[in-house]
Amino acid sequence: RKEVEQDPGPFNVPEGATVAFNCTYSNSASQSFFWYRQDCRKEPKLLMSVYSSGNEDGRFTAQLNRASQYISLLIRDSKLSDSATYLCVAYETANAGNMLTFGGGTRLMVKP
Amino acid sequence: SQTIHQWPATLVQPVGSPLSLECTVEGTSNPNLYWYRQAAGRGLQLLFYSVGIGQISSEVPQNLSASRPQDRQFILSSKKLLLSDSGFYLCAWSVLNSSPLHFGNGTRLTVT
């Protein structure tokens, strides 16, 4: 089974800091990628889609490096409300259908 | 706009009892539908996915089953629950290949 791997953390950062997470994927056929945010005991919510080299949305920047098979998520000016688990997802098309593989998540804790 | 409904939100069931979790999607046609499970402190595990009515693919052989009796209805069932079935069950949908998943609020199942 192809895998998506993330550092589980936790990443403890002060408010206002910049923090970056990496996610590596083993299947070179993976076509698109997503970052989800999951709060404790809640469902994952889509944060960003990464279809090409990268994507930026406000304080959040996602980048894709196909040669090295990793994607990253950069959060600038961290807020207390950014504390959550961030899930990386790789999407590949297989004969049996569309296959999404989730990483185990990286936990972020932003401290005042 | 599309919405996904999943119920119940929480459930406590004794070992050996049956299970039925229901998920419905509104505002879209012929969605891809998914059932995931997340054990406490763990990543998301794909259980079943469906690309159409009556079409179910199982990712993990176990005592669970899924059915799709209508286009926008996805049901997760078990005839006899095990302690190891405890977890957070998430239904999700997507519409296109390579599009992100959108999750329901989840059902927290405790088997006692």
Side-chain angles (χ1 to χ4, degrees), chain B residues 41-100:
Chain B
R42 305 291 295 277
L44 285 163
Q45 179 187 34
L46 178 63
L47 301 175
F48 301 95
Y49 69 93
S50 172
V51 299
I53 295 175
Q55 301 179 58
I56 309 293
S57 296
S58 173
E59 285 296 297
V60 184
Q62 50 198 319
N63 68 319
L64 299 172
S65 63
S67 62
R68 185 170 178 173
Q70 300 181 46
D71 181 42
R72 290 169 288 178
Q73 183 185 28
F74 206 22
I75 298 172
L76 182 69
S77 303
S78 174
K79 293 182 179 178
K80 289 185 178 181
L81 284 169
L82 306 172
L83 286 174
S84 57
D85 291 325
S86 294
F88 190 39
Y89 287 82
L90 290 155
C91 181
W93 67 273
S94 68
V95 286
L96 296 171
N97 291 349
S98 299
S99 65

Side-chain angles (χ1 to χ4, degrees), chain A residues 36 38 41 43 91 96 98, chain B residues 38 49 97 99 101 104 108:
Chain A
Y36 281 76
Q38 185 174 24
R41 302 178 70 83
E43 77 277 17
Y91 208 136
N98 307 314
Chain B
Q38 187 174 37
Y49 69 93
N97 291 349
S99 65
L101 296 187
R108 194 160 301 279

Side-chain angles (χ1 to χ4, degrees), chain A:
Chain A
R1 181 88 174 144
K2 305 300 182 183
E3 292 186 353
V4 174
E5 297 189 7
Q6 298 181 249
D7 182 342
F11 284 56
N12 294 295
V13 302
E15 209 173 355
T18 294
V19 62
F21 313 133
N22 276 345
C23 166
T24 59
Y25 61 96
S26 58
N27 187 354
S28 59
S30 296
Q31 298 179 347
S32 54
F33 306 87
F34 308 98
W35 281 103
Y36 281 76
R37 171 200 169 117
Q38 185 174 24
D39 293 293
C40 187
R41 302 178 70 83
K42 297 286 189 179
E43 77 277 17
K45 293 186 177 178
L46 181 66
L47 180 65
M48 298 184 74
S49 302
V50 189
Y51 291 109
S52 56
S53 60
N55 192 14
E56 184 172 332
D57 183 5
R59 298 184 293 110
F60 299 83
T61 300
Q63 290 191 316
L64 168 63
N65 185 317
R66 287 194 183 274
S68 300
Q69 294 187 196
Y70 76 85
I71 65 172
S72 62
L73 179 67
L74 181 77
I75 305 175
R76 291 179 294 275
D77 188 22
S78 299
K79 312 292 185 188
L80 296 176
S81 57
D82 293 333
S83 297
T85 297
Y86 291 83
L87 303 172
C88 170
V89 186
Y91 208 136
E92 60 190 66
T93 300
N95 291 334
N98 307 314
M99 305 300 295
L100 293 108
T101 303
F102 281 79
T106 297
R107 189 176 173 199
L108 171 66
M109 299 180 69
V110 182
K111 308 283 189 177

